[in-house]
Amino acid sequence: MAATGPEHQQTADPAAIRRHRVLFRTIHQRKNPRLRRSDITITDQAAVKRAVKAASLGNAMEWFDFGIYSYLAVIIGRVFFPSGNDTAQLLSSFATFAVAFLVRPVGGMVFGPMGDRIGRKKVLALTMIMMAIGTFAIGLIPSYASIGWFAPALLILFRLVQGFSTGGEYGGASTFIAEYAPDKRRGFFGSFLEFGTLAGYVGAAGLVTALTAVLGDASMEDWGWRVPFLVAGPLGLVGLYLRLRLDETPAFQKLEDASAGASSEAADTVETSAKGDLGRIFRDYWPTLILCIALVGAYNVTDYMLLSYMPTYLSDELGYSATHGLLILLGVMAFLMLIINQVGKLSDRFGRKPLLMAGMLGFLVLSAPAFLLIGDGGILAITAGMLMLGLSLVCLLGTMSAALPALFPTRVRYGSLSVGYNLSASLFGGTTPLVITALIGATGSNLMPAYYSMAAALVGVIAVACMKETAQQPLDGSPPSVCTKEEAAELVQAQAGPEPRF
């Protein structure tokens, strides 16, 4: 798209602009020529669907892997750490959960710029392989009773492999879908990425619940907990196959074409930009980076609080059986899967900001009432409380994967989003179960999860208020993307007018 204002107008005397409006308008038109039909990308609907399927399946696998660890946290604490205090074992398990998030920013800083340099497709295939290996390997580690401290050491090692690979996953997958999708349907197609998130959690919760019901607690702790981790191997191969069949995104292809067809000086500039230099990201895009970190922090705290921590909260803090809590959460997540794509459509129609603000305000206002209901103890009360939180969360889930990639230009999108997302996820997301467990232990209040999510939501409200609306607009640094030739013709026709006279 044309720039919003020519560079010369930012420094020119306003009085001179008023005196010579035609001249300055003509210079602006010359510097920012009208769109031609060849400038507009007409999306291949079959290719878009393949891209969405491959990216979403990878995301589903990622959250399946993290979900099974969350839902098996109590058992993992007993298997991999010395017996003694149950709370200490649980804290050790959640600390190991958080360890993976410590290396996520490192993975983002490695894979993100790599994705801006060599392409989105190759990096997403690499992250898929690493995630599958890390998860599968956890299922093979002997227990603490068998090999002592080597057991938790190996657990931490493979959690680090998981975390490092995840550093390039979300930024790449959301970038991939955003760059494939037409401008007016980016929210709808982007919502499938978080549909994959919920599918991964539902698959993990369903498998853990079924195994617990069939095998019983003793067999689960003995060997049954390994089964969900071992399933990740075949899933990873399927995801890798789908991703390797994809073409590179149209936006990245146009960036490469611009580099190849430019003069040597311009080509050098584009190539340097494509490398997604970290110094440039922090130097030139730090305001947007801070906004991204704030949005993702608020979103991740609420996400992990409900989808990862809630079963442990119900069993360890409120005394319900593990199966009880998982079944209720399973039902809530299945309901959210039914409506998340509709939320994506709403964000295309009404904008990203209204949907994101509704989700943030929902957590700010409803968290305390929801946890009071959950603490009441009845199945209906627990379900109602979790639905209140779930409906707030789905406003974020269905919108965020379209909103975040639009914050950054194409040449640094993968790198910037990976850095911002994973810094925030590391600081606020993966630490959520650990922090909440520690706060409950320190204060004795079962409402600490509500207070923590309310604080995060307040930050989110401020961040949403500061962001620009990007719905139905081309991605920064990319040409318009439409569904049909007729829509492209309408875009060109809308700019019709007399040619500049100078």
Side-chain angles (χ1 to χ4, degrees):
M1 285 288 286
T4 55
E7 185 177 338
H8 66 273
Q9 287 192 22
Q10 296 174 1
T11 57
D13 180 9
I17 295 175
R18 286 195 297 271
R19 287 195 304 272
H20 306 286
R21 292 183 186 277
V22 174
L23 175 62
F24 279 99
R25 184 167 60 247
T26 302
I27 294 172
H28 172 62
Q29 289 174 334
R30 286 295 188 190
K31 286 182 173 288
N32 301 274
R34 293 197 300 264
L35 282 172
R36 296 168 298 177
R37 167 63 189 80
S38 58
D39 294 328
I40 301 171
T41 300
I42 299 177
T43 57
D44 179 346
Q45 292 301 301
V48 173
K49 291 177 181 179
R50 285 197 304 272
V52 169
K53 185 189 301 181
S56 300
L57 180 64
N59 208 46
M61 179 188 160
E62 175 191 342
W63 295 112
F64 174 84
D65 297 343
F66 276 90
I68 55 180
Y69 191 97
S70 302
Y71 303 144
L72 293 168
V74 175
I75 292 177
I76 288 172
R78 293 172 185 159
V79 170
F80 287 103
F81 296 96
S83 59
N85 186 292
D86 288 342
T87 301
Q89 283 186 327
L90 183 61
L91 282 171
S92 297
S93 179
F94 278 140
T96 309
F97 178 82
V99 157
F101 286 81
L102 296 179
V103 295
R104 280 183 67 159
V106 180
M109 292 177 188
V110 172
F111 289 123
M114 190 187 298
D116 286 326
R117 185 173 68 251
I118 67 173
R120 286 62 163 125
K121 169 186 169 180
K122 296 175 183 176
V123 176
L124 284 172
L126 180 58
T127 59
M128 174 70 75
I129 295 171
M130 291 185 65
M131 173 60 78
I133 291 172
T135 307
F136 186 80
I138 289 176
L140 300 176
I141 302 173
S143 67
Y144 178 85
S146 300
I147 60 172
W149 286 104
F150 284 107
L154 287 171
L155 176 64
I156 291 171
L157 172 64
F158 291 118
R159 286 290 295 161
L160 291 174
V161 172
Q162 283 184 319
F164 186 74
S165 65
T166 305
E169 176 63 35
Y170 183 89
S174 58
T175 293
F176 203 82
I177 292 179
E179 291 182 351
Y180 254 109
D183 296 332
K184 292 184 178 180
R185 303 191 72 196
R186 190 173 298 118
F188 171 68
F189 285 117
S191 67
F192 280 95
L193 188 65
E194 299 297 357
F195 180 91
T197 298
L198 292 171
Y201 273 122
V202 166
L207 184 55
V208 170
T209 302
L211 286 171
T212 303
V214 172
L215 300 177
D217 293 338
S219 295
M220 275 296 290
E221 190 167 326
D222 185 33
W223 61 272
W225 66 271
R226 298 181 184 276
V227 174
F229 288 96
L230 298 177
V231 167
L235 281 179
L237 292 177
V238 173
L240 179 63
Y241 170 74
L242 288 175
R243 286 188 172 182
L244 288 175
R245 292 181 63 231
L246 294 173
D247 294 325
E248 191 51 81
T249 68
F252 186 79
Q253 287 179 359
K254 284 185 178 291
L255 185 66
E256 285 193 313
D257 292 344
S259 176
S263 66
S264 60
E265 181 180 353
D268 289 343
T269 301
V270 174
E271 177 63 20
T272 301
S273 298
K275 288 180 180 178
D277 175 69
L278 287 174
R280 176 173 183 152
I281 290 172
F282 284 105
R283 183 178 64 251
D284 296 345
Y285 298 97
W286 64 266
T288 313
L289 207 58
I290 292 174
L291 178 63
C292 177
I293 289 172
L295 285 168
V296 174
Y299 156 61
N300 267 339
V301 166
T302 53
D303 186 18
Y304 284 100
M305 185 269 295
L306 179 62
L307 300 186
S308 293
Y309 174 71
M310 189 59 72
T312 303
Y313 175 77
L314 290 172
S315 60
D316 274 37
E317 306 299 340
L318 301 183
Y320 301 114
S321 70
T323 304
H324 184 175
L326 276 177
L327 282 173
I328 295 176
L329 182 60
L330 199 59
V332 170
M333 289 191 294
F335 173 70
L336 299 186
M337 288 176 69
L338 294 175
I339 64 173
I340 189 169
N341 298 132
Q342 300 307 312
V343 173
K345 285 184 178 179
L346 288 175
S347 79
D348 283 329
R349 181 176 180 183
F350 298 108
R352 317 291 184 228
K353 292 183 68 170
L355 272 295
L356 290 174
M357 188 63 79
M360 297 298 182
L361 289 175
F363 276 108
L364 186 62
V365 174
L366 299 176
S367 289
F371 273 91
L372 287 172
L373 279 171
I374 291 169
D376 182 71
I379 291 179
L380 288 179
I382 294 174
T383 304
M386 291 176 69
L387 274 176
M388 290 165 66
L389 298 173
L391 290 173
S392 301
L393 180 62
V394 80
C395 292
L396 307 181
L397 287 173
T399 310
M400 199 67 78
S401 51
L404 292 176
L407 295 175
F408 301 101
T410 301
R411 63 183 179 272
V412 293
R413 180 170 297 123
Y414 196 155
S416 300
L417 182 52
S418 293
V419 169
Y421 187 92
N422 289 294
L423 278 173
S424 189
S426 176
L427 292 171
F428 307 111
T431 58
T432 294
L434 179 65
V435 170
I436 292 177
T437 302
L439 286 174
I440 292 174
T443 64
S445 171
N446 286 332
L447 284 178
M448 289 312 298
Y451 300 146
Y452 195 57
S453 65
M454 289 167 67
L458 181 60
V459 173
V461 166
I462 297 170
V464 173
C466 293
M467 68 180 286
K468 294 180 181 179
E469 182 58 71
T470 57
Q472 300 195 22
Q473 298 176 18
L475 293 169
D476 186 4
S478 297
S481 178
V482 299
C483 294
T484 63
K485 293 180 180 179
E486 290 75 18
E487 196 176 344
E490 288 175 6
L491 271 180
V492 174
Q493 185 64 30
Q495 298 182 103
E499 290 291 330
R501 298 176 58 187
F502 297 94

